[in-house]
Amino acid sequence: GTLCRTKPTDLVFIIDSSRSVRPHEFEKIKVFVSQVIEALDVGPNATRVGVINYASAVRSEFSLQSHQSKAGLLQAVRRIQPLSTGTMTGLAIQFAISRAFSAAEGGRAGLPNFRKVAIVVTDGRPQDGVQDVSARARAAGIEIFALGVGRVDMGTLRQMASEPLDEHVDYVESYSAIEKLTHKFQEAFCVVSDLCATGDHDCEQICLSTPGTYRCSCRDGFSLNSDGRTCTACNGGLGSALDLVFLIDGSKSVRPENFELVKKFINQIVDSLEVSDKQAQVGLVQYSSSVRQEFPLGQFRNKKDIKAAVKKMSYMEKGTMTGQALKYLVDSSFSAINGARPGVPKVGIVFTDGRSQDYISDAAKKAKDSGFRMFAVGVGNAVEDELREIASEPVAEHYFYTADFRTISKIGKKLQMMICVEEDPCECKSIVKFQTKVEELINSLQQ
């Protein structure tokens, strides 16, 4: 569901990468941009995002029409590199007027009830004029936020920004503090601040509010459905069976400290299951240049033993043969010889942090054609097209991406809900008895 109700918005970041911005400081700008994007309702008919990178020259990193999904935007932001020359801020604003907000680049100037927003991030005094070009931008309907860092010229920020200035001009002492402004910009795009308090939400049971956003939750004994708003009675696996196999990327790009976070991600999901020979079974496969089964389905009959085995798993640290790993999942992991049970739902969770070095299409298709429910989780340099190819239908509900390993626990929480086995009310004996009794009473009344 939508996290933040917004008017349709075309948002363009104009980021300073002049030589005064050190490489590690430029990474902080990219984190800030990513965090603002994370809170937006992104889509072709909702918020579109573009990025202009400038120094002595101006470079369009991506246009408003380049990426229609949040995952695509976040990956594109990660790839931006600094220009490390002068500071032509006025030139960058002119580029925004003439190019970035144009219809050819995906701008939607003709739509009613619509915002055009530019966020300018700079740390110095521009080498050209900004006053006149900023006035032209504002006259063209572009709302400008001016964000200054360090020894920036405050007069320049005020010349650029829209009115009221106290809402459109911000300053932080260093790039390390720029994340403090994330919340301000997240809230700036929301129509209301507390959606739960105003009733402007569609949660079936519980609405949890934070300024400018909300998320739905459910009462104890219920699970949040994939639509993000309705709830279903769910027992987390009690009385029902599930065969779940993790397929984990152990390539060298993951790095040892992040591999430990991946282990915690696995155990976070294991914690939500009821493990036994008649309920949930868990298997684990690690892959890099080769494939290694860490343990098959059914080897461990309780959560404690599974989690202990996950913690002991050693890091392979080689290539990324995702196609080979998917083929192993199809041919071996869900076979009877490796503990899979006939007639039991099969779920595969594939985790990767980069582009596969081999072909994945055939194995990914075979997994889904075999009836396996496939989830794809990507981190860092994972390729969105590959994640979508692995994921089951509806694809948007079965693939996840985050730029940072430290945030994969959020994905873990979503997966906990989605792999929860739902109870079929039609199979409930008490309901069947009730229906039978009602039918008997109706028949007697008719007689």
Side-chain angles (χ1 to χ4, degrees), residues 9-165:
T9 302
D10 284 349
L11 169 62
V12 174
F13 291 91
I14 303 174
I15 57 176
D16 180 354
S17 68
S18 56
R19 66 175 64 91
S20 61
V21 183
R22 300 183 187 92
H24 72 275
E25 293 174 332
F26 192 70
E27 292 301 312
K28 296 286 186 183
I29 297 176
K30 288 159 63 175
V31 170
F32 163 73
V33 172
S34 296
Q35 288 179 340
V36 174
I37 290 171
E38 285 273 18
L40 296 174
D41 176 19
V42 173
N45 298 314
T47 296
R48 299 180 182 181
V49 181
V51 173
I52 296 171
N53 184 11
Y54 78 94
S56 295
V58 179
R59 184 167 71 197
S60 174
E61 297 292 347
F62 52 87
S63 71
L64 292 167
Q65 63 187 0
S66 295
H67 302 285
Q68 303 298 317
S69 71
K70 197 174 295 185
L73 286 170
L74 293 172
Q75 292 191 64
V77 170
R78 279 179 60 87
R79 291 192 290 266
I80 299 173
Q81 296 298 317
L83 301 172
S84 300
T85 50
T87 312
M88 301 294 283
T89 311
L91 184 65
I93 295 171
Q94 180 58 51
F95 185 93
I97 299 171
S98 58
R99 285 276 303 278
F101 286 103
S102 69
E105 297 287 306
R108 299 168 289 179
L111 296 181
N113 195 29
F114 165 83
R115 293 177 74 185
K116 292 189 289 185
V117 178
I119 299 177
V120 183
V121 182
T122 182
D123 80 331
R125 186 184 296 273
Q127 295 171 322
D128 58 354
V130 299
Q131 187 167 4
D132 291 344
V133 70
S134 298
R136 289 197 299 274
R138 296 192 298 268
I142 301 171
E143 181 181 1
I144 302 178
F145 291 87
L147 196 169
V149 182
R151 295 194 296 177
V152 70
D153 178 56
M154 295 301 294
T156 299
L157 298 180
R158 288 191 287 271
Q159 287 176 2
M160 290 189 287
S162 297
E163 296 284 351
L165 293 179

Side-chain angles (χ1 to χ4, degrees), residues 65-362:
Q65 63 187 0
S66 295
H67 302 285
Q68 303 298 317
S69 71
K70 197 174 295 185
L73 286 170
L74 293 172
Q75 292 191 64
V77 170
R78 279 179 60 87
R79 291 192 290 266
I80 299 173
Q81 296 298 317
L83 301 172
S84 300
T85 50
T87 312
M88 301 294 283
T89 311
L91 184 65
I93 295 171
Q94 180 58 51
F95 185 93
I97 299 171
S98 58
R99 285 276 303 278
F101 286 103
S102 69
E105 297 287 306
R108 299 168 289 179
L111 296 181
N113 195 29
F114 165 83
R115 293 177 74 185
K116 292 189 289 185
V117 178
I119 299 177
V120 183
V121 182
T122 182
D123 80 331
R125 186 184 296 273
Q127 295 171 322
D128 58 354
V130 299
Q131 187 167 4
D132 291 344
V133 70
S134 298
R136 289 197 299 274
R138 296 192 298 268
I142 301 171
E143 181 181 1
I144 302 178
F145 291 87
L147 196 169
V149 182
R151 295 194 296 177
V152 70
D153 178 56
M154 295 301 294
T156 299
L157 298 180
R158 288 191 287 271
Q159 287 176 2
M160 290 189 287
S162 297
E163 296 284 351
L165 293 179
D166 60 346
E167 294 180 10
H168 290 83
V169 176
D170 287 282
Y171 170 80
V172 290
E173 62 277 9
S174 70
Y175 283 103
S176 297
I178 195 170
E179 290 183 45
K180 294 178 183 177
L181 296 175
T182 301
H183 169 73
K184 177 254 175 81
F185 284 100
Q186 289 172 342
E187 191 169 11
F189 294 105
C190 291
V191 177
V192 293
S193 181
D194 189 343
L195 298 172
C196 293
T198 61
D200 187 20
H201 66 85
D202 52 4
C203 298
E204 183 181 41
Q205 293 188 0
I206 300 171
C207 179
L208 301 174
S209 180
T210 55
T213 68
Y214 76 92
R215 64 182 178 86
C216 300
S217 184
C218 299
R219 296 189 294 270
D220 288 344
F222 291 83
S223 168
L224 190 68
N225 293 327
S226 59
D227 61 10
R229 59 185 182 82
T230 60
C231 300
T232 299
C234 177
N235 59 15
L238 282 170
S240 53
L242 173 72
D243 284 349
L244 170 63
V245 174
F246 291 93
L247 197 60
I248 300 300
D249 183 351
S251 59
K252 58 179 173 290
S253 59
V254 174
R255 299 202 301 271
E257 65 273 17
N258 290 330
F259 194 68
E260 293 304 312
L261 294 175
V262 175
K263 292 181 183 181
K264 290 181 180 178
F265 164 79
I266 296 169
N267 282 341
Q268 176 187 5
I269 296 172
V270 170
D271 268 330
S272 69
L273 304 171
E274 289 297 331
V275 177
S276 75
D277 56 347
K278 296 187 181 298
Q279 299 170 327
Q281 291 191 155
V282 177
L284 176 61
V285 175
Q286 185 185 170
Y287 71 94
S288 59
S289 297
S290 58
V291 180
R292 184 173 75 201
Q293 179 171 259
E294 301 291 345
F295 53 83
L297 290 164
Q299 178 174 332
F300 301 111
R301 303 298 177 88
N302 60 69
K303 283 188 272 192
K304 181 181 177 182
D305 290 345
I306 292 173
K307 291 167 70 176
V310 170
K311 288 179 180 178
K312 290 177 184 176
M313 177 173 55
S314 61
Y315 175 33
M316 295 175 76
E317 201 171 356
K318 293 182 181 177
T320 311
M321 303 293 281
T322 313
Q324 184 180 338
L326 285 166
K327 187 176 187 304
Y328 183 91
L329 183 82
V330 174
D331 295 342
S332 299
S333 295
F334 286 124
S335 64
I337 197 170
N338 277 313
R341 297 164 291 180
V344 171
K346 308 289 189 294
V347 175
I349 299 178
V350 182
F351 180 95
T352 181
D353 89 320
R355 182 182 295 275
S356 177
Q357 295 172 329
D358 62 352
Y359 187 65
I360 70 166
S361 296
D362 289 347

